[in-house]
Amino acid sequence: MRKWFFLFIIVVLGLLEVAVLDYFKIFGVKPDLFLIVVVILSLFFELKGVIFFVIFAGVLKDAFSINTFGINTLLLPLWSFLIMKLSKRISIDNNFILMAVIFIITASHNIITGLILVFSGGFFIPLGISLRIAFLESLYTAIIAPLVFKIFRTFPRWLPQGAWNWE
Amino acid sequence: MLKFKKKSLIYLAVSIFLLTLLSSLNPALRTTILSTFKYPLSLLTLIRREIGGIIFYHRNLMQNEGLKREVDLLRNKINTLDEIYLENRRLNDILSLKQKTPYKVIAARVIGRSPDNWSSVVIIDKGRYNGIKQEMAAMTYLGFLGRVIETTESTSKIMLINDPNLGVSCIVVGSRQEGLVSGTLGNSLIMKYLPKGADIKISDVIITSGLTDAYPKGLLIGEVIEVGEELSGLTRYAIIKPAVNLSSIEEVLIIIP
């Protein structure tokens, strides 16, 4: 049941990002909910338990975008893997550390995506616009991440006893 | 410091293989997913529109009254223009000029947008079943909108005019100065590589030139709001405010050539 629940959450967030989030754009950028969900899943669960959902989130994002298919499908599991490694060495309970991690991951994700777009020859974005997107999106995503985390942390109260535990 | 084990190398190799495989499966996967999510997206858009109607009731009421007055004024203008049109036809008949037929359009609703910030793309609820093909031009009642870049059986993706990867050949109404308009992923467009002596000024109207077969001639792009000189000093640029409010598009018209 919990697996269907996470699948449902990813689908709903994906639909929100595609259909609704445009109304919350600031300076032409909107936050990356897919990335926040991946970070949440990576912090709470083991890799083998969430890899399917992380890949599913990547495939969903790739399907709705016009970039090279597979960029998000491969990058999101990579960030998930790195987050898991990092969470074993430092504590990400503090909101500021969480925001910093999300900022760095989002910025890296955008830089890699931008470079792939340029070198794949498909699309070209001027440098000024690229830097604006990379920086502002990272900042916006990092700012709303604690809010999304807080909502997820209250989930155990909404679910039946034991449903939040993966095993 | 992270240790890179054999497992990590295997992961990298598998990733590259998967990327290649996924790229080849691209059309099939994208088609399936877009077709699956068409109705949930349409439902969500409908709910959002209804909630917006309730929240912005007063604003919509004021807007409605203003638009009614504008419609009455335009109706009068249309009547006048009808007379001029009939007279023009009569004169053309006399001169035996070939009549140009207006283009056909397919109306579609916007059900979603690109999830990333690297492109300006909207998803509509019509596709190949409805006669839409790639490279067709898209517009709204206010002006030019963009171009169809991807189609599935029941959905299509349109790249908007404020995407930097879409360049549209345009002219300035009046001076007939030609230029290429592209986007900035924001609320404005830019017309670049104008010669130093280009005849263009603020509040000039920009329309499609029709020099290529890609877009019909005469579609309204927008109005010039700023003219400046490039850093090199050799060329000029113009910032254009689009005629269409690209952040609140609800319906589009796909032009059938």
Side-chain angles (χ1 to χ4, degrees):
Chain A
M1 180 221 165
R2 51 196 81 95
K3 292 175 186 173
W4 289 115
F5 173 74
F6 284 122
L7 214 61
F8 173 75
I9 287 293
I10 290 171
V11 167
V12 165
L13 285 176
L15 291 177
L16 278 176
E17 181 139 3
V18 170
V20 175
L21 225 56
D22 256 67
Y23 287 95
F24 299 95
K25 271 188 169 178
I26 296 176
F27 296 114
V29 298
K30 57 188 176 186
D32 193 340
L33 293 181
F34 283 108
L35 210 57
I36 295 176
V37 164
V38 163
V39 171
I40 290 173
L41 290 176
S42 308
L43 285 175
F44 282 118
F45 304 107
E46 293 293 320
L47 181 64
K48 65 177 181 183
V50 300
I51 189 68
F52 167 75
F53 299 107
V54 170
I55 290 175
F56 175 73
V59 168
L60 206 59
K61 193 172 178 186
D62 277 329
F64 287 125
S65 74
I66 59 167
N67 302 333
T68 304
F69 198 98
I71 291 178
N72 293 292
T73 308
L74 292 175
L75 282 179
L76 291 185
L78 176 67
W79 304 133
S80 177
F81 175 72
L82 289 174
I83 283 284
M84 282 179 192
K85 288 281 186 186
L86 194 66
S87 62
K88 288 173 185 168
R89 293 173 189 275
I90 62 172
S91 167
I92 311 188
D93 284 338
N94 186 290
N95 272 343
F96 291 110
I97 297 176
L98 173 69
M99 287 166 69
V101 167
I102 297 233
F103 180 88
I104 292 167
I105 286 178
T106 312
S108 307
H109 186 90
N110 281 318
I111 290 168
I112 294 173
T113 304
L115 288 171
I116 291 175
L117 286 176
V118 168
F119 288 109
S120 66
F123 300 98
F124 174 73
I125 311 280
L127 181 64
I129 297 174
S130 303
L131 290 174
R132 185 190 87 205
I133 292 171
F135 178 73
L136 286 179
E137 185 184 340
S138 309
L139 197 62
Y140 198 175
T141 307
I143 287 170
I144 72 152
L147 175 65
V148 179
F149 259 65
K150 206 166 191 176
I151 294 170
F152 264 80
R153 280 201 174 116
T154 64
F155 271 156
R157 292 179 215 161
W158 299 348
L159 296 176
Q161 187 94 18
W164 187 244
N165 299 321
W166 192 258
E167 296 302 328
Chain B
M1 203 56 195
L2 294 171
K3 293 178 184 174
F4 288 98
K5 300 177 186 175
K6 195 178 173 183
K7 211 189 273 184
S8 305
L9 287 172
I10 295 172
Y11 178 81
L12 184 66
V14 169
S15 303
I16 293 169
F17 171 73
L18 276 175
L19 180 62
T20 315
L21 185 65
L22 279 169
S23 298
S24 64
L25 288 173
N26 171 15
L29 265 175
R30 268 202 174 132
T31 305
T32 311
I33 289 172
L34 279 172
S35 303
T36 308
F37 286 100
K38 178 193 165 186
Y39 292 108
L41 275 174
S42 302
L43 179 65
L44 201 62
T45 308
L46 177 68
I47 293 168
R48 185 206 68 209
R49 204 171 23 244
E50 293 303 316
I51 292 173
I54 295 167
I55 293 171
F56 298 112
Y57 172 76
H58 186 261
R59 185 198 72 178
N60 291 344
L61 186 67
M62 292 292 114
Q63 212 173 49
N64 188 29
E65 286 173 10
L67 286 169
K68 275 183 185 167
R69 285 193 291 273
E70 201 177 328
V71 163
D72 290 336
L73 182 66
L74 289 170
R75 214 170 255 149
N76 282 332
K77 276 189 180 173
I78 286 171
N79 289 335
T80 313
L81 289 170
D82 273 343
E83 291 301 318
I84 298 171
Y85 171 70
L86 289 170
E87 189 185 344
N88 183 266
R89 273 187 67 172
R90 284 195 298 272
L91 293 171
N92 278 332
D93 283 339
I94 291 168
L95 292 169
S96 302
L97 289 172
K98 189 176 178 184
Q99 298 290 332
K100 286 185 190 172
T101 53
Y103 33 77
K104 293 180 185 173
V105 295
I106 298 172
R109 280 194 179 274
V110 172
I111 57 172
R113 287 178 177 257
S114 177
D116 55 68
N117 295 304
W118 291 98
S119 53
S120 189
V121 166
V122 293
I123 304 170
I124 60 174
D125 63 351
K126 297 260 172 80
R128 285 196 291 268
Y129 271 145
N130 310 97
I132 295 177
K133 294 176 189 169
Q134 283 186 17
E135 308 300 323
M136 282 183 175
M139 58 180 276
T140 68
Y141 294 107
L142 291 172
F144 180 74
L145 189 65
R147 187 182 78 208
V148 177
I149 52 167
E150 261 183 49
T151 57
T152 68
E153 297 302 322
S154 56
T155 62
S156 302
K157 288 180 185 169
I158 297 172
M159 182 177 281
L160 300 182
I161 192 171
N162 67 335
D163 192 302
N165 295 290
L166 185 67
V168 183
S169 170
C170 299
I171 54 173
V172 180
V173 171
S175 69
R176 316 311 281 178
Q177 172 65 49
E178 289 171 10
L180 190 74
V181 170
S182 62
T184 59
L185 289 176
N187 293 327
S188 60
L189 311 172
I190 185 164
M191 196 171 187
K192 293 199 286 190
Y193 310 121
L194 293 166
K196 262 196 122 169
D199 186 3
I200 184 168
K201 57 188 182 301
I202 292 173
S203 73
D204 272 344
V205 174
I206 310 293
I207 59 173
T208 52
S209 64
L211 287 176
T212 62
D213 291 334
Y215 316 110
K217 183 179 178 179
L219 295 178
L220 180 63
I221 300 284
E223 186 181 310
V224 177
I225 54 172
E226 185 187 327
V227 180
E229 204 169 274
E230 299 271 8
L231 281 171
S232 62
L234 300 171
T235 56
R236 296 168 79 199
Y237 67 87
I239 305 293
I240 297 161
K241 183 185 168 190
V244 179
N245 185 353
L246 297 169
S247 56
S248 62
I249 310 161
E250 301 274 349
E251 279 188 349
V252 304
L253 303 169
I254 309 296
I255 299 171
I256 309 292

